[in-house]
């Protein structure tokens, strides 16, 4: 059972990686430790540290505005690429994509 | 009426410590209301009292110290690892990661987040959700709006202050040739012998994003009066200094000049302008100063100038008679001609390729009353050039030598510098001694500047527009270089602007030509008439009307008119007196 799940997880990540424009994927846990990453170590560490703080801040902002609300997805669009963060209670999935134009 | 209270203490008790005690109050004086006084007052009923139901506020002004910011970076080191895992140890981290990956919670979470993420990614790939629709329409609307309603405006973006204690004038500015992110400013004290002893000689290159600290300091031997970037090689700058020497810097090599000209062969006065020439090697330049010479240099060999021209109008190369030059003009599209603006108010047009020095000076244009601080050809129509001097700015046509074809009114303050806009043929900018910057558009309004902005309280001494026409930098007497952005209306070319500008300039030129022709006619007539009258009268005079004669004649006419007027006034007075007398009699 577990091995199936592991395989499915791997497949999901591979699918995401193979999408057009995706530059990298990082999975970090609630403390900001990068669990899995397709980028090099220094970039991973940098992204993990900075984005972890950003998600915490964003989440607290959303909840301050409305305590019954919660953050489901965060997209940061910049000139060069787009950083998408899917947060959960324990883990965050971060994907850096270069948009199609 | 004095109210006095006396208390007594024995001399023997002086100096003793005081013991305080409480006692009830004693009434010492009681002033009762005096009915007699009250009778002198009247009760006012009703009373008008103003009342306002508004909050009481007070106004305070606070000026903070200049905020100095510095850019710093932080080195991010890994953290957050649990206590038993050492982040430096690869094995431990890998083990930790593997453990997490086996966690079921992890896997479920990732599956869930994965689907969510895929949706967004596909969305991104399918369509650009931030695309601007109807962009072209927006632009068109904006354009029309700008044409009709927009007020020309200039906004200060950045101010670069002289970091030294002793403030010097920003005498010259030069933009970096590519990219325009850097501005070279030359600082010097131009007042004669007024430079304080500890004045620094440095000039700076500023990065326009960072006004706190200059990017590079140039350290010349004597303060720089003029500074120019080499348009071909953006690392080389040429500076003309206060003591007459020319030096060039390479920004890759630091702040010391790479080479300086030999002092015996340089100018004897501050070098007011240096300009790079167009040449294959890109190393030629020429300079001018108030000692009356124009020198050509090749920067590879600075020990002596390659060529020398003395601005002597009598063509005798006499330095004592020479005109002293303050500005220089050179247009790369016309490499054989150049112009020099002098302190005497003349613009001398010269030909570089003349064989003898005497033929170098082609013609002069007169009309200004003071030194010509700026001289520039119109980048679109090289036949017309702008001069800025004394209290006016004038536009000249090369063909008409007697007077300018267009000029501004006489201002209240001295004009110090000016230049054309590189993107619009009819727009030019001037700066004045009272610290205002004016933008003129001679197609829009001729009497007044289209835009007048007070940049600072001290005099503005130099001005330079960036090549894109949008930004301009002006330098003030206290060394502050201000970077201004002008509104798009003044830097986008309007429709038909070139044709309209040509038409206007040609019209003015034609007017001047007609006036000149008429003047000549009148002079000829005068001369022939005076010659005839002289022949009739006597043969003693040579037949030429000398200026003294003219002056004497003018005086005679003037006094005759004055006497006639006086007589008329007296007669009027007498008439009035008679009238008064008559009236009195009637009464």
């Amino acid at each position: 059972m577990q091995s199936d799940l592991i395989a499915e997880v791997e497949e999901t990540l591979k699918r995401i990686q193979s999408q057009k424009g995706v530059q990298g994927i990082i999975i970090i846990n609630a403390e900001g430790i990068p669990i899995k990453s397709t980028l090099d170590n220094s970039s991973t560490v940098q992204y993990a540290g900075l984005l972890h703080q950003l998600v915490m801040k964003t989440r607290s902002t959303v909840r301050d505005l409305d305590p019954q609300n919660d953050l489901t997805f965060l997209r940061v669009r910049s000139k060069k690429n787009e950083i998408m963060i899917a947060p959960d209670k324990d883990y965050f999935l971060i994907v850096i994509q270069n948009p199609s134009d | 009426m004095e109210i006095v209270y006396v208390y007594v203490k024995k001399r023997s008790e002086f100096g003793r410590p005081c013991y305080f005690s409480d006692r009830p109050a004693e009434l010492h004086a009681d002033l009762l209301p005096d009915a007699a006084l009250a009778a002198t007052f009247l009760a006012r009923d009703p009373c008008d009292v103003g009342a306002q139901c508004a909050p009481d506020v007070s106004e305070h002004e606070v000026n903070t110290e200049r905020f100095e910011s510095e850019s710093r970076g932080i080195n991010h080191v890994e953290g957050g690892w649990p206590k038993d895992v050492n982040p430096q140890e690869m094995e431990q981290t890998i083990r930790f990661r593997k453990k997490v990956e086996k966690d079921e919670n992890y896997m479920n979470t990732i599956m869930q987040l994965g689907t969510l993420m895929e949706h967004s990614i596909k969305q991104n790939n399918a369509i650009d959700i931030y695309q601007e629709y109807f962009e072209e329409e927006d632009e068109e609307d904006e354009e029309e709006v700008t044409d009709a309603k927009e007020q020309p405006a200039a906004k200060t973006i950045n101010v670069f202050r002289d970091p030294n204690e002793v403030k010097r004038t920003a005498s010259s500015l030069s933009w970096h040739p590519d990219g325009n992110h850097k501005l070279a400013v030359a600082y010097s004290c131009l007042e004669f012998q007024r430079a304080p002893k500890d004045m620094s000689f440095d000039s700076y290159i500023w990065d326009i994003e960072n006004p706190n600290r200059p990017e590079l300091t140039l350290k010349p031997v004597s303060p720089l009066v003029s500074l120019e970037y080499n348009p071909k090689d953006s690392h080389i700058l040429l500076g003309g200094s206060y003591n007459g020497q020319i030096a060039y810097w390479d920004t890759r090599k630091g702040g010391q000049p790479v080479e300086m000209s030999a002092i015996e062969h340089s100018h004897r006065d501050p070098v007011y302008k240096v300009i790079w020439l167009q040449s294959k090697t890109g190393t030629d330049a020429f300079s001018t100063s108030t000692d009356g010479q124009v020198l050509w240099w090749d920067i590879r060999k600075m020990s002596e100038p390659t060529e020398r021209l003395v601005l002597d109008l009598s063509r005798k190369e006499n330095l004592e008679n020479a005109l002293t030059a303050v500005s220089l003009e050179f247009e790369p599209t016309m490499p054989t001609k150049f112009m020099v603006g002098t302190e005497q108010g003349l613009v001398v047009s010269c030909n570089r390729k003349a064989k003898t020095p005497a033929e170098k000076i082609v013609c002069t244009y007169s009309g200004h009353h003071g030194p010509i601080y700026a001289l520039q050809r119109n980048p679109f129509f090289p036949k017309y050039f702008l001069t800025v001097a004394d209290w006016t700015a004038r536009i000249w046509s090369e063909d008409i030598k007697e007077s300018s074809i267009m000029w501004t009114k006489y201002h209240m303050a001295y004009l110090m510098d000016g230049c054309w806009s590189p993107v619009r043929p009819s727009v030019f900018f001037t700066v004045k001694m009272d610290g205002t910057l004016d933008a003129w558009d001679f197609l829009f309004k001729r009497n007044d500047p289209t835009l007048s902005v007070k940049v600072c309280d001290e005099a503005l001494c130099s001005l330079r527009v960036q090549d894109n026409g949008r930004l301009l930098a002006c330098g003030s007497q206290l060394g502050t270089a201000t970077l201004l952005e002008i509104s798009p209306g003044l830097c986008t070319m309007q429709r038909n602007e070139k044709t309209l500008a040509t038409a206007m300039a040609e019209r003015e030129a034609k007017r001047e030509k007609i006036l000149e022709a008429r003047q000549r006619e009148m002079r000829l007539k005068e001369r022939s008439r005076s010659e005839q009258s002289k022949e009739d009268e006597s043969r003693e005079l040579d037949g030429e009307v000398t200026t003294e004669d003219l002056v004497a004649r003018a005086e005679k006419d003037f006094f005759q008119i004055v006497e006639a007027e006086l007589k008329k006034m007296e007669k009027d007075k007498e008439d009035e007196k008679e009238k008064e007398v008559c009236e009195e009699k009637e009464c």
Side-chain angles (χ1 to χ4, degrees):
Chain A
M1 271 297 285
Q2 232 199 25
S3 55
D4 285 345
L5 267 183
I6 296 177
E8 271 201 57
V9 166
E10 288 296 315
E11 208 211 300
T12 309
L13 293 179
K14 261 210 189 53
R15 226 184 20 240
I16 294 179
Q17 176 78 14
S18 65
Q19 292 279 1
K20 193 172 104 165
V22 171
Q23 285 173 343
I25 308 178
I26 307 174
I27 302 173
I28 61 176
N29 75 348
E31 276 116 39
I33 302 174
I35 306 292
K36 198 172 182 75
S37 166
T38 61
L39 302 172
D40 58 285
N41 195 29
S42 52
S43 310
T44 306
V45 166
Q46 199 176 20
Y47 271 106
L50 295 167
L51 292 173
H52 180 250
Q53 291 178 46
L54 183 66
V55 172
M56 287 300 148
K57 189 73 176 176
T58 315
R59 182 181 268 157
S60 71
T61 307
V62 168
R63 295 193 74 147
D64 277 349
L65 292 171
D66 179 5
Q68 279 152 0
N69 207 351
D70 194 10
L71 182 67
T72 51
F73 202 82
L74 181 59
R75 277 196 205 222
V76 180
R77 186 121 174 170
S78 72
K79 267 198 285 207
K80 296 190 185 167
N81 49 21
E82 177 161 356
I83 305 173
M84 292 177 277
I85 307 159
D88 183 76
K89 200 159 61 77
D90 303 314
Y91 300 97
F92 303 154
L93 173 62
I94 301 169
V95 172
I96 300 136
Q97 188 191 19
N98 208 339
S100 51
D101 55 350
Chain B
M1 190 187 71
E2 252 180 55
I3 302 179
V4 174
Y5 174 67
V6 182
Y7 74 102
V8 186
K9 201 171 181 183
K10 273 199 189 157
R11 188 66 177 82
S12 55
E13 286 173 10
F14 275 21
R16 287 210 193 150
C18 297
Y19 295 112
F20 292 103
S21 60
D22 239 343
R23 64 167 171 79
E26 271 176 31
L27 186 60
H28 289 286
D30 190 12
L31 291 169
L32 295 166
D34 190 354
L37 279 180
T40 59
F41 286 87
L42 193 68
R44 185 206 279 192
D45 185 20
C47 279
D48 275 323
V49 177
Q52 188 181 351
C53 181
D56 247 340
V57 290
S58 68
E59 194 183 306
H60 286 282
E61 260 183 37
V62 173
N63 198 12
T64 56
E65 287 284 324
R66 181 146 166 247
F67 181 65
E68 293 238 0
S69 62
E70 233 182 81
S71 295
R72 298 245 169 164
I74 299 183
N75 192 15
H76 185 97
V77 180
E78 268 189 67
W81 292 97
K83 284 219 179 78
D84 51 351
V85 178
N86 180 3
Q88 314 295 342
E89 290 273 322
M90 277 275 288
E91 283 186 21
Q92 293 187 11
T93 53
I94 291 177
R95 210 183 325 142
F96 178 81
R97 287 196 174 109
K98 285 229 164 59
K99 193 167 64 147
V100 171
E101 279 175 27
K102 293 210 169 70
D103 185 12
E104 210 177 302
N105 183 21
Y106 167 83
M107 294 194 245
N108 288 330
T109 315
I110 295 296
M111 296 297 295
Q112 204 187 356
L113 296 179
T115 41
L116 190 57
M117 185 62 79
E118 269 197 81
H119 172 77
S120 295
I121 293 177
K122 286 183 185 158
Q123 208 180 46
N124 261 350
N125 282 334
I127 188 172
D128 179 11
I129 60 178
Y130 297 105
Q131 186 192 15
E132 286 242 6
Y133 303 111
F134 310 117
E135 222 176 59
E136 294 90 17
E137 270 195 28
D138 245 352
E139 270 180 15
E140 273 178 20
D141 280 343
E142 272 180 24
E143 260 187 31
E144 285 176 12
V145 169
T146 30
D147 275 359
K149 290 187 248 170
E150 194 194 292
Q151 284 282 32
K155 192 170 71 159
T156 310
I157 297 188
N158 243 332
V159 176
F160 306 97
R161 285 178 224 278
D162 188 0
N164 300 74
E165 279 293 317
V166 179
K167 303 280 180 209
R168 313 152 290 166
T169 321
S171 47
S172 169
L173 305 155
S174 175
W175 285 97
H176 193 262
D178 345 287
N180 291 318
H181 291 299
K182 296 201 222 181
L183 181 65
V185 188
Y187 296 92
S188 57
C189 182
L190 284 173
E191 295 176 33
F192 184 63
Q193 293 189 347
R194 201 82 72 81
K197 281 216 186 73
D198 48 353
M199 182 178 97
S200 133
F201 292 162
D202 298 338
S203 293
Y204 302 107
I205 298 184
W206 297 88
D207 180 344
I208 55 177
E209 313 279 319
N210 181 8
N212 291 328
R213 204 176 305 134
E215 206 186 311
L216 182 61
T217 308
L218 302 173
K219 295 185 198 304
V221 164
S222 137
L224 288 178
V225 180
S226 56
L227 188 56
E228 285 286 332
Y229 264 104
N230 185 345
K232 291 250 177 70
D233 181 358
S234 52
H235 296 287
I236 311 259
L237 289 126
L238 187 64
S241 56
Y242 195 69
N243 67 356
Q245 279 179 297
I246 316 274
Y248 85 95
W249 278 264
D250 188 331
T251 49
R252 295 166 291 207
K253 294 202 184 123
Q256 293 294 334
V258 177
E259 207 181 326
M260 296 199 66
S261 62
I263 204 162
E264 317 83 66
H265 297 290
S266 311
H267 291 281
R268 306 265 182 278
D269 266 349
V271 181
Y272 279 99
K273 190 97 178 161
V274 291
I275 295 191
W276 289 93
L277 291 168
Q278 288 278 39
S279 70
K280 277 184 267 187
T281 54
T283 53
D284 290 321
F286 67 145
S287 65
T288 183
S289 113
T290 36
D291 65 355
Q293 297 175 52
V294 178
L295 298 173
W296 277 263
W297 304 88
D298 182 339
I299 59 170
R300 292 168 297 187
K301 182 168 166 278
M302 292 284 254
S303 53
E304 66 168 5
T306 51
E307 220 180 311
R308 177 194 298 260
L309 168 66
V310 177
L311 288 170
D312 182 10
L313 277 187
S314 60
R315 308 220 161 106
K316 285 199 204 91
E317 296 275 319
N318 194 350
L319 249 178
E320 282 156 19
N321 275 358
L323 301 168
T324 53
V326 209
S327 56
L328 202 54
E329 190 282 326
F330 174 75
E331 177 74 35
T333 51
M334 294 200 286
T336 57
K337 289 198 278 191
F338 68 94
M339 293 198 288
V340 182
T342 62
E343 255 187 339
Q344 286 78 10
L346 295 170
V347 177
V348 184
S349 165
C350 308
N351 184 348
R352 235 191 122 189
K353 294 283 186 242
K355 296 286 181 327
T356 66
E359 280 169 32
K360 280 240 162 115
I361 299 177
V362 174
C363 56
T364 62
Y365 302 87
S366 61
H368 272 295
H369 310 292
I372 298 188
Y373 284 115
L375 178 58
Q376 195 190 7
R377 283 186 202 263
N378 189 326
F380 292 86
F381 307 113
K383 210 169 70 144
Y384 304 106
F385 59 94
L386 168 74
T387 57
V388 171
D390 59 63
W391 299 273
T392 58
R394 289 172 191 265
I395 300 181
W396 304 73
S397 162
E398 251 191 347
D399 315 323
I400 300 175
K401 308 204 191 338
E402 276 71 27
S403 80
S404 49
I405 58 173
M406 285 190 260
W407 55 90
T408 67
K409 61 176 186 202
Y410 280 86
H411 295 275
M412 288 284 124
Y414 222 75
L415 264 69
M416 296 299 292
D417 201 355
C419 60
W420 289 101
S421 162
V423 289
R424 287 193 60 184
S426 65
V427 172
F428 64 93
F429 302 94
T430 56
V431 284
K432 306 216 281 277
M433 273 201 104
D434 59 0
T436 45
L437 164 78
D438 293 326
W440 298 81
D441 181 353
F442 62 72
L443 286 179
F444 179 65
K445 207 185 340 178
R446 287 267 288 273
N447 297 338
D448 290 312
T450 314
L451 170 65
S452 187
V453 178
K454 185 139 210 297
V455 174
C456 52
D457 289 326
E458 63 267 10
L460 282 173
C461 298
S462 53
L463 168 72
R464 197 56 77 93
V465 183
Q466 206 198 47
D467 290 330
N468 65 7
R470 195 70 193 262
L471 293 176
L472 51 82
C474 39
S476 80
Q477 209 175 18
L478 293 178
T480 322
T482 314
L483 188 65
L484 293 131
E485 182 182 349
I486 37 181
S487 56
L490 281 174
C491 51
T492 39
M493 187 117 83
Q494 310 288 339
R495 298 167 260 194
N496 309 333
E497 192 172 329
K498 266 196 185 169
T499 37
L500 284 173
T502 342
M504 156 99 50
E506 275 175 26
R507 192 184 75 202
E508 298 299 326
K510 206 165 97 175
R511 169 179 62 88
E512 283 299 321
K513 273 199 212 124
I514 294 176
L515 281 175
E516 193 195 312
R518 183 102 179 86
Q519 281 253 337
R520 244 183 286 146
E521 268 183 44
M522 285 178 59
R523 252 183 275 149
L524 275 174
K525 229 187 273 178
E526 264 293 315
R527 209 174 287 168
S528 61
R529 215 186 333 133
S530 73
E531 278 188 15
Q532 270 194 354
S533 66
K534 282 283 163 51
E535 284 178 11
D536 289 342
E537 281 178 6
S538 65
R539 302 259 166 194
E540 287 157 48
L541 296 170
D542 283 335
E544 266 180 21
V545 184
T546 58
T547 38
E548 283 106 4
D549 285 345
L550 279 173
V551 167
R553 208 185 300 164
E555 273 188 29
K556 210 172 60 168
D557 287 336
F558 175 68
F559 281 121
Q560 276 180 353
I561 295 174
V562 166
E563 280 179 21
E565 275 294 320
L566 278 173
K567 276 197 201 123
K568 210 169 54 153
M569 268 174 38
E570 282 179 18
K571 199 160 157 287
D572 285 340
K573 261 197 231 159
E574 283 181 15
D575 287 340
E576 274 191 32
K577 267 198 205 144
E578 282 185 16
K579 262 199 230 157
E580 278 182 31
V581 169
C582 289
E583 283 180 15
E584 280 185 18
K585 274 199 191 149
E586 279 176 36
C587 294

